[in-house]
Amino acid sequence: MEVVGFKIVDDGDLPFGMAHLREFLAEFIGTFFLIFIGCGGVYGAFTVNSGLTSAAILQIAFAFGLGIGGSVHLFSDISGGQFNLPYRLLSSLLRKFPLSSS
């Protein structure tokens, strides 16, 4: 259930496929956010520091951590917060995660 404008919308009220479209868009935007922030951290680490120093490694780790943390925080209620496609597909194949929500 979420608030859209001034109307409360339940997922059961959405037409067929709209809930999956929301999940797909949430995972797409979350993955984009992760890659954008992470690669920006890599670029910043190599332009500010000269080479691969311990400060550069720490900056890269914090950038990817911030990217995945922000993505999970923003989109976990919509898509489950799993932004690792191979893990999600393997979990679906092993029936640890429902295929209908993959």
Side-chain angles (χ1 to χ4, degrees):
M1 182 179 305
E2 74 173 294
V3 177
V4 177
F6 296 105
K7 182 180 175 186
I8 296 178
V9 176
D10 189 13
D11 286 342
D13 296 338
L14 292 174
F16 181 74
M18 286 298 285
H20 293 294
L21 180 64
R22 286 179 55 210
E23 290 178 6
F24 170 74
L25 286 175
E27 290 206 17
F28 179 78
I29 293 169
T31 304
F32 175 78
F33 185 68
L34 165 66
I35 298 300
F36 186 75
I37 297 294
C39 290
V42 171
Y43 177 75
F46 281 108
T47 56
V48 172
N49 302 317
S50 58
L52 192 62
T53 62
S54 59
I57 293 172
L58 190 63
Q59 181 177 350
I60 293 168
F62 276 129
F64 275 102
L66 177 69
I68 193 67
S71 296
V72 169
H73 178 72
L74 290 173
F75 300 113
S76 65
D77 58 337
I78 297 172
S79 69
Q82 294 183 357
F83 299 103
N84 188 353
L85 183 62
Y87 171 76
R88 190 162 187 171
L89 289 176
L90 183 64
S91 298
S92 297
L93 290 175
L94 296 176
R95 300 185 192 273
K96 304 266 184 195
F97 194 80
L99 188 61
S100 62
S101 65
S102 293

